[in-house]
Every structure is written in structure tokens, then in C-alpha cells.
């Protein structure tokens, strides 16, 4: 095999109360990548589409070439690779854009080089892509993009990330207001110290959320989708966040929150028609405020990244 094409999904990280430790993949949108072996022992980026010219084509600076280099070093290979990256999701969106690119690149190179690693074994390499993208090797975007479904990162040292069960048939609304919230910036404003009272509330909520996922208890999931630590700080970066939240909950959402570091927001819904109403009403609100946006009504993607051909 000399060439391969892979899709990797967008992701919703944090899932309200699980900062840096919980995330899920969604069916759409996502990134596509084509890798082709070359005979020059060099990693080159021959094409990037859909980024508005914003991403580096310098292989020293793009996450896709960075993680491919790490992979080839790990297998002691000097194989040359040409990279075509097709961004089919917004940048700086809160939908795991850099993560989708890194994961697509790693799944593709792993396939091209004879699948020496499992998806789990690729996870640390994918996290290194996040490190150069936003300055921190968090796993709550790359893990669900790689493994699919809902992923809990129980521990970073040692790394312990695994799929959780979750209520099937849920619909997901993702709305991306066209405002810029770079992940790195949204991480810098997080307080390093929190009160014991807030910590108790947060770990109660994350425990309840995981229990609700595992027991298919939508009421418990709904009660647990509360964030007393990150949301109060980051909501200030997202225009009309609380108005959008109220709209979603008033129209039947199980829960609503910031997608990753924002500005995208998401809602979990029991039925697709509820999701469609919420998507419409949130976009209508943003239009009234002269804020452009795009929205997706989709589902949790249980497969993760996949080979397209
Ligand atoms: N392929 C890439 N190579 C290098 N940097 C990237 C790449 N994709 C995104 N970034 C950078 O990573 C940071 C996070 O952006 P992005 O991943 O698009 O946001 P989000 O994860 O919220 O969707 C931004 O500074 C962005 O410019
Ligand atoms: N846990 C991270 C998740 C960032 O998600 P992204 O989609 O905005 O990159 C954080 O909250 O910083």
C-alpha cells in the first residue's frame, strides 16, 4: 500500500464537568487526510484545504507532520511521506480541530506502515500533537477521536483512558458561533486553585455523570451536567452563552455546555426533533445578535477515525 485516506471526527471535550478527563466523538464534522509514500525520505505537506490559509505548511510546525515524524522515529523508519490535509471542520472552534488532524494522520500512517500499533498505543503520540497545538497534551479530544464513543481519561500519569458505555440514540447539537477562542488562551484563564466546596461539587457531578452513562439513567445524566469550576470562567468568552443555555434547557435538552474550550456549545438531546428545534432556536438567537454561526445536529460516533479507502 502506497497511499491511504482517513477520516477523523470532531469531538466534544470536557462534557461540562469533566475538564480534561471526558470527551466524545461526533459523526460530523471532521477532517480527512491522504498520505502517500515518497522516495525522498522527507515528510512534506503538499496540500492543505479548508483552513483559509491559516495553518502552517511547514512540516516542523503542523501537528500532522509532527505526529507522523514521532511515529516514524518510534518504528525507526526513514520513510518519506507526502501529506494532503482536508479541513472539513472549523478551526479554533472547540470541536477538537487539531485533534482530528493529529488522529487522522496517526491512523493513516499506522495503516500505511503495516499497523504496528493499536489505537490505544497511538494515544500518547496524538497527545503530542495537542502539545504543539495548544501547549498542553490533554487527551479528551484525541482519545475519543481515536477510540470513538465516550472516553474517560482516568489518569494521565500513568495514562489510563478507556471507553465508557453511554445511552444509545442520543442526538447532539453543536453550534459554532463565529468568534475566536484559541484553546491555549482559554486554558490560561482557568484558576489554578479552587475551593474544596467547588471540588466536592465537581467530583460529585463527574461521578454522577459517569454513573448515569453506565446505567442509562438520563435523569442522573441531566442532573450531573453541571460545571461550577470551568464554565463560570469561560462563559465570559462566549457571547450570549447563558441565553443559549436557557434556550436549550427550556426546549428539552438533557444538558448543555461549552464544547471543549469553546466558543462552540453543545446540547445532548433524547430525540433528534428536540435537537433540531434547539439548533434552530440558538442559531436564530445568534442571528438576532448579528453573530454568524454554523450548527450540526448529529450523533455520538462510536467508531472514531476510520479508513476511507
Ligand atoms: N494542523 C495544525 N497544525 C498546527 N496547529 C494547529 C493545527 N490545527 C489547529 N492548530 C492550532 O491549534 C490551536 C487550537 O486550535 P484548534 O485545534 O483548531 O481549536 P479547537 O481544538 O478548539 O477546535 C490553535 O492555535 C490552532 O491554530
Ligand atoms: N480539555 C480541553 C479541551 C479543549 O478542547 P478544544 O476542542 O477546544 O481543543 C480544554 O478545555 O482546554
Amino acid at each position: 500500500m502506497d497511499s491511504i485516506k482517513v477520516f477523523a471526527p470532531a469531538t466534544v471535550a470536557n462534557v461540562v464537568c469533566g475538564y480534561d478527563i471526558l470527551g466524545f466523538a461526533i459523526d460530523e464534522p471532521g477532517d480527512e487526510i491522504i498520505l502517500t509514500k515518497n522516495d525522498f525520505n522527507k515528510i512534506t505537506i503538499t496540500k492543505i484545504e479548508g483552513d483559509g490559509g491559516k495553518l502552517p505548511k511547514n512540516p516542523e510546525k503542523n501537528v500532522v507532520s509532527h505526529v507522523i515524524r514521532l511515529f516514524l522515529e518510534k518504528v525507526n523508519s526513514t520513510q518519506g511521506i507526502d501529506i494532503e490535509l482536508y479541513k472539513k471542520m472549523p478551526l479554533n472552534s472547540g470541536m477538537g480541530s487539531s485533534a482530528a488532524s493529529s488522529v487522522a494522520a496517526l491512523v493513516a500512517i499506522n495503516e500505511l506502515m503495516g499497523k504496528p500499533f493499536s489505537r490505544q498505543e497511538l494515544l500518547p503520540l496524538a497527545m503530542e500533537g495537542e502539545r504543539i497545538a495548544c501547549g498542553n497534551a490533554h487527551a479528551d479530544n484525541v482519545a475519543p477521536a481515536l477510540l470513538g464513543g465516550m472516553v474517560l481519561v482516568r489518569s494521565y500519569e500513568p495514562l489510563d483512558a478507556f471507553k465508557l458505555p453511554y445511552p444509545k440514540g442520543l442526538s447532539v447539537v453543536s453550534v459554532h458561533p463565529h468568534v475566536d477562542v484559541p484553546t491555549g488562551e482559554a486554558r490560561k484563564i482557568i484558576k489554578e486553585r479552587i475551593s474544596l466546596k467547588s471540588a466536592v461539587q465537581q467530583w460529585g457531578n463527574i461521578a454522577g455523570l459517569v454513573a448515569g452513562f453506565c446505567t442509562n439513567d438520563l435523569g442522573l445524566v441531566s442532573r450531573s451536567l453541571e460545571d461550577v469550576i470551568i464554565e463560570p470562567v469561560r462563559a465570559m468568552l462566549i457571547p450570549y452563552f447563558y441565553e443559549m443555555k436557557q434556550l436549550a434547557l427550556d426546549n428539552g435538552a438533557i444538558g448543555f455546555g461549552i464544547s471543549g474550550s469553546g466558543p462552540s456549545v453543545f446540547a445532548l438531546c433524547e430525540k433528534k426533533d428536540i435537537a433540531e428545534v434547539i439548533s434552530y432556536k440558538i442559531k436564530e438567537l445568534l442571528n438576532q445578535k448579528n453573530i454568524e454561526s454554523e450548527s450540526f445536529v448529529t450523533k455520538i460516533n462510536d467508531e472514531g477515525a476510520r479508513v476511507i479507502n
Side-chain angles (χ1 to χ4, degrees), residues 12 15-16 24 172-175 225 255-259 264-268:
V12 175
V15 197
V16 181
F24 63 87
V172 181
V173 182
S174 174
V175 180
L225 285 170
F256 176 94
I258 301 172
S259 177
S264 292
V265 293
F266 81 98
L268 282 183

Side-chain angles (χ1 to χ4, degrees), residues 63-79:
V63 299
V64 295
S65 35
H66 180 68
V67 297
I68 286 171
R69 183 179 312 107
L70 294 177
F71 178 100
L72 292 172
E73 286 168 0
K74 199 172 173 72
V75 297
N76 298 315
S77 168
T78 57
Q79 174 63 57

Side-chain angles (χ1 to χ4, degrees), residues 11 31 48 54-56 61-65 85 87 89-102 129-130 132-135 138 141 181-184 259-264:
T11 48
D31 278 353
I48 300 179
K54 293 180 180 171
L55 294 180
K61 294 185 176 173
N62 197 300
V63 299
V64 295
S65 35
L85 175 60
K87 295 297 298 182
M89 59 186 291
L91 287 173
N92 278 327
S93 58
M95 298 173 79
S97 178
S98 53
S101 298
S102 293
E130 293 292 74
I132 70 163
C134 70
H138 61 92
N141 289 107
V181 179
T183 305
S259 177
S261 61
S264 292

Side-chain angles (χ1 to χ4, degrees), residues 98-284:
S98 53
S101 298
S102 293
V103 165
L106 282 168
V107 169
I109 191 68
N110 195 46
E111 291 285 333
L112 213 49
M113 300 299 286
K115 282 185 87 169
F117 301 120
S118 69
R119 293 277 175 110
Q120 276 283 358
E121 289 167 326
L122 291 175
L123 183 52
L125 295 178
M127 291 165 65
E128 288 308 313
E130 293 292 74
R131 193 188 303 280
I132 70 163
C134 70
N136 181 282
H138 61 92
D140 52 336
N141 289 107
V142 289
L146 203 48
L147 305 177
M150 182 75 64
V151 177
L152 174 68
V153 185
R154 186 204 60 83
S155 165
Y156 278 88
E157 292 177 350
L159 184 60
D160 184 9
F162 48 87
K163 296 181 77 164
L164 290 176
Y166 57 90
K168 297 301 181 283
L170 293 180
S171 283
V172 181
V173 182
S174 174
V175 180
H176 171 227
H178 289 187
V179 295
D180 218 19
V181 179
T183 305
E185 296 308 310
R187 292 185 70 87
K188 285 177 190 162
I189 62 173
I190 303 297
K191 296 174 192 156
E192 282 295 314
R193 293 183 176 281
I194 57 176
S195 70
L196 183 57
K197 180 185 177 190
S198 296
V200 167
Q201 282 179 284
Q202 201 82 347
W203 58 54
N205 283 326
I206 192 63
L209 184 59
V210 171
F213 285 154
C214 292
T215 59
N216 215 30
D217 183 337
L218 294 184
L220 178 54
V221 167
S222 184
R223 296 198 302 277
S224 304
L225 285 170
E226 180 195 33
D227 174 2
V228 297
I229 296 172
I230 307 296
E231 181 181 290
V233 178
R234 283 180 168 172
M236 294 182 281
L237 303 175
I238 302 171
Y240 308 102
F241 172 81
Y242 290 105
E243 289 87 339
M244 291 190 281
K245 182 172 186 176
Q246 197 57 54
L247 258 183
L249 297 175
D250 288 351
N251 285 277
I254 295 168
F256 176 94
I258 301 172
S259 177
S261 61
S264 292
V265 293
F266 81 98
L268 282 183
C269 304
E270 204 169 346
K271 298 197 183 313
K272 186 177 179 183
D273 58 353
I274 295 173
E276 285 171 343
V277 168
I278 290 168
S279 171
Y280 176 82
K281 284 181 175 290
I282 290 178
K283 277 186 64 73
E284 186 182 52

Side-chain angles (χ1 to χ4, degrees), residues 37-49:
K37 289 180 180 175
N38 68 44
D39 299 330
F40 318 112
N41 295 346
K42 278 183 73 178
I43 299 172
T44 62
I45 300 175
T46 56
K47 182 186 289 186
I48 300 179
E49 286 188 4

